[in-house]
């Protein structure tokens, strides 16, 4: 990333109201998975509603480097010409995953059982993130993988013969679960993965859409190796994690209401709705009829007085990417909010607990940083200068804080918003935020 690129900032003036209707771009998790499964399927996979963001484009470029032909008739439509289970070929150079944790971890699973070597790298943030959580179960399957002190570059030595395992995930992580399931497609025998708490299940739903038989019972998924995938048509709903910024803005300032259309509301993603409702939020979910693989809804949000809560730990994994936005709601609520059991936030694109505590402190909010959470005393938000630590969700969360702030907020280092939500400033302005970028 060039210095000029990394120095981009937002200046956000305080506003008192958000309103209207908007539609957020496609889901990031589903877009990554659609590309990858499409690449190893037989025949054509057509993806509609694809998220045209830096993270998903890293996955797309990696698949092309692995020999998959991909057409893009327009920004949100992708045609993947699948090469079948045995069709990938060695990339000529290291595969650069940019900022994308999902891409690198899922590719580890996909590439562990290939007959060729691969090297996976990323940007400065990704090169600091833990990869052993994925490498460890893949090694149990017989994969030959090196990390550098647990971090990228990840070197995968090909030609390993993978065997099925029964694996109990030590942490609730959809990326680890998905990597094991992808490797399981190339393993001999029936793999099972058991999770300590439910995490997003897009991989399981999508594999079934590609014709793979899998069994789900309680916290366990079982999948027999050797099954072919059949290309299909995928409709990607709007990304709940992008909608989250507008949901929080609406809870704080949509006096006439704010509508967010066509949002994916898979129950493994919507813990934020439950958390905000516990605080007194007024959010209506109007489900679209029909039986798509992923449920879709229009969300109607109205401003309501929010009060602090103790967040039930069982909701944490169901809202894992929404905490930056949620902490803004907590800062603007009456009373104390306590989040624990969220230590995973320390190993996201930034240490999100530390970055949010620092930023909220800058805005005059009393906030205690715990090893696995935050204690926030709701109050009046001043303005101030915020360091996003190059983390897209920290940048967008503090932009939303402007609906409750008394003075302008300047957010530094916002270029990475393009990894998940390049249209954020434009949509935020349409909803009423006074954001200059
Ligand atoms: C994701 C899983 C989550 C989430 C990430 C996307 C996925 O990470 O934070 O943004 O697409 O599987 P973990 O698996 O590390 O919990």
């Amino acid at each position: 990333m060039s210095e000029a690129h990394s120095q981009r900032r937002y200046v956000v003036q305080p506003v008192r109201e958000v309103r209207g209707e908007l539609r957020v771009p496609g889901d990031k998790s589903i877009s990554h998975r659609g590309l990858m499964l499409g690449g190893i399927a037989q025949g054509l996979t057509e993806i509609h509603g694809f998220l045209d963001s830096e993270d998903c484009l890293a996955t797309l470029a990696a698949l092309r480097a692995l020999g998959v032909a991909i057409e893009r008739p327009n920004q949100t439509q992708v045609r993947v010409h699948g090469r079948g289970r045995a069709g990938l070929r060695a990339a000529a150079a290291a595969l650069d995953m940019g900022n994308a944790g999902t891409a690198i971890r899922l590719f580890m699973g996909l590439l562990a059982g290939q007959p060729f070597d691969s090297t996976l790298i990323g940007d400065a943030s990704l090169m600091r993130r833990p990869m052993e959580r994925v490498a460890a179960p893949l090694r149990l399957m017989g994969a030959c993988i090196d990390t550098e002190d647990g971090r990228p570059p990840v070197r995968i030595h090909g030609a390993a013969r993978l065997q099925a395992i029964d694996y109990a995930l030590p942490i609730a992580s959809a990326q680890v679960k998905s990597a094991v399931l992808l490797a399981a497609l190339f393993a001999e025998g029936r793999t099972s993965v058991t999770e300590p708490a439910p995490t997003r299940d897009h991989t399981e739903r999508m594999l079934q859409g590609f014709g793979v038989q899998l069994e789900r019972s309680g916290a366990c998924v079982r999948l027999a190796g050797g099954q072919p995938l059949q290309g299909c048509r995928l409709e990607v709903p709007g990304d709940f994690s992008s909608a989250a910024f507008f949901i929080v803005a609406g809870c704080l300032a949509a006096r006439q209401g704010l509508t967010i259309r066509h949002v994916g509301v898979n129950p493994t993603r919507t813990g934020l709705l439950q958390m905000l409702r516990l605080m007194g939020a007024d959010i209506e979910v109007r489900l679209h009829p029909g039986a798509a693989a992923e449920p879709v809804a229009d969300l109607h949000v109205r401003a309501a007085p929010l009060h602090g809560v103790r967040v039930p730990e069982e909701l944490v994994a169901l809202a894992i990417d929404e905490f930056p936005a949620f902490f803004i709601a907590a800062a603007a609520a009456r009373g104390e909010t306590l989040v624990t059991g969220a230590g995973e936030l320390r190993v996201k694109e930034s240490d999100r607990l530390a970055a949010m505590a620092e930023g909220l402190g800058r805005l005059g909010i009393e906030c205690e940083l715990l090893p696995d959470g935050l204690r926030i005393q709701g109050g009046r938000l001043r303005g101030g200068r915020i360091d996003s630590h190059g983390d897209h969700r920290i940048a967008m969360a503090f932009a939303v804080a402007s609906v409750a702030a008394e003075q302008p907020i300047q957010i530094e280092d916002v270029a990475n918003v393009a990894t998940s939500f390049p249209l954020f400033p434009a949509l935020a302005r349409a909803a009423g935020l006074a954001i200059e970028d």
Side-chain angles (χ1 to χ4, degrees):
M1 195 192 298
S2 76
E3 212 167 276
H5 191 49
S6 69
Q7 280 175 353
R8 284 190 41 204
R9 67 169 58 105
Y10 293 152
V11 178
V12 200
Q13 303 295 330
V15 292
R16 286 291 152 260
E17 191 173 2
V18 291
R19 59 188 150 27
E21 279 191 25
L22 57 100
R23 189 168 163 159
V24 292
D27 187 274
K28 179 151 73 91
S29 291
I30 298 174
S31 295
H32 281 300
R33 287 160 169 81
L35 290 169
M36 290 184 198
L37 295 190
I40 56 165
Q42 284 162 358
L44 180 67
T45 292
E46 268 200 23
I47 308 176
H48 295 262
F50 174 75
L51 173 64
D52 182 44
S53 76
E54 287 176 2
D55 275 13
C56 298
L57 294 179
T59 289
L60 191 148
L63 282 165
R64 281 185 173 151
L66 292 162
V68 180
I70 302 178
E71 294 171 86
R72 299 199 57 197
N74 60 50
Q75 270 192 331
T76 59
Q77 211 181 318
V78 180
R79 291 161 62 86
V80 184
H81 296 272
R83 293 182 58 91
R85 288 171 43 80
L88 299 183
R89 60 166 161 70
L95 298 167
D96 187 349
M97 302 293 152
N99 193 243
T102 302
I104 194 166
R105 297 204 176 108
L106 270 58
F107 267 119
M108 286 171 72
L110 193 66
L111 295 172
Q114 301 295 332
F116 51 81
D117 298 350
S118 305
T119 301
L120 307 176
I121 57 170
D123 71 4
S125 151
L126 193 62
M127 296 301 272
R128 288 192 294 268
R129 295 183 64 188
M131 296 299 144
E132 277 301 315
R133 52 181 57 199
V134 182
L138 296 178
R139 282 190 204 110
L140 293 176
M141 299 175 87
C144 190
I145 299 183
D146 300 322
T147 62
E148 230 157 87
D149 286 333
R151 301 184 159 72
V154 176
R155 294 196 172 80
I156 303 168
H157 306 281
R161 279 186 53 143
L162 302 189
Q163 299 292 329
I165 51 168
D166 293 311
Y167 192 64
L169 290 169
I171 43 172
S173 164
Q175 292 176 351
V176 180
K177 172 178 65 173
S178 300
V180 174
L181 291 175
L182 292 176
L185 290 170
F186 298 91
E188 213 173 274
R190 202 165 75 133
T191 293
S192 75
V193 188
T194 306
E195 1 184 42
T199 66
R200 64 190 70 193
D201 64 356
H202 305 304
T203 304
E204 296 90 307
R205 288 173 187 248
M206 196 181 285
L207 280 168
Q208 289 174 313
F210 277 85
V212 172
Q213 303 287 322
L214 55 83
E215 250 176 68
R216 304 177 66 181
S217 52
C220 181
V221 193
R222 290 189 189 81
L223 160 58
Q227 301 184 55
L229 283 76
Q230 197 53 56
C232 62
R233 181 188 160 101
L234 296 171
E235 300 284 349
V236 183
D239 196 323
F240 185 87
S241 298
S242 297
F245 299 103
F246 295 102
I247 296 171
V248 167
C251 286
L252 298 177
R255 269 168 275 286
Q256 329 267 335
L258 175 72
T259 301
I260 312 156
R261 296 219 179 272
H262 202 79
V263 183
V265 288
N266 179 320
T268 60
R269 292 287 296 280
T270 52
L272 176 73
L273 298 181
Q274 296 175 64
M275 285 156 44
L276 290 171
R277 281 177 177 147
L278 288 174
M279 299 174 91
D282 177 357
I283 307 168
E284 192 190 332
V285 176
R286 287 197 198 144
L287 269 180
H288 291 197
E294 295 280 350
V296 177
D298 294 340
L299 307 178
H300 298 273
V301 188
R302 268 180 191 277
L306 301 185
H307 56 81
V309 287
R310 190 186 192 321
V311 171
E313 288 196 1
E314 63 270 22
L315 293 181
V316 167
L318 306 178
I320 195 66
D321 290 341
E322 284 61 76
F323 279 97
F326 174 76
F327 290 143
I328 298 298
R334 187 169 41 79
E336 180 181 289
T337 292
L338 178 62
V339 175
T340 55
E344 274 296 299
L345 294 178
R346 290 194 176 270
V347 290
K348 295 295 177 189
E349 287 83 328
S350 68
D351 176 342
R352 287 185 174 158
L353 294 179
M356 288 303 298
E358 176 193 297
L360 290 173
R362 289 276 171 87
L363 300 187
I365 295 295
E366 211 183 294
C367 184
E368 186 189 348
L369 179 58
L370 308 171
D372 64 342
L374 285 185
R375 185 192 302 276
I376 296 173
Q377 203 58 51
R380 290 159 70 107
L381 282 79
R382 300 193 300 246
R385 186 154 170 246
I386 303 290
D387 182 354
S388 79
H389 293 268
D391 184 328
H392 55 136
R393 298 202 197 280
I394 304 292
M396 290 186 277
F398 280 104
V400 163
S402 65
V403 303
E406 292 169 352
Q407 280 108 32
I409 300 176
Q410 181 172 321
I411 308 160
E412 303 295 342
D413 198 4
V414 300
N416 272 348
V417 167
T419 61
S420 69
F421 197 171
L423 296 178
F424 173 74
L427 284 181
R429 279 192 284 271
L433 261 64
I435 178 168
E436 289 160 38
D437 60 338

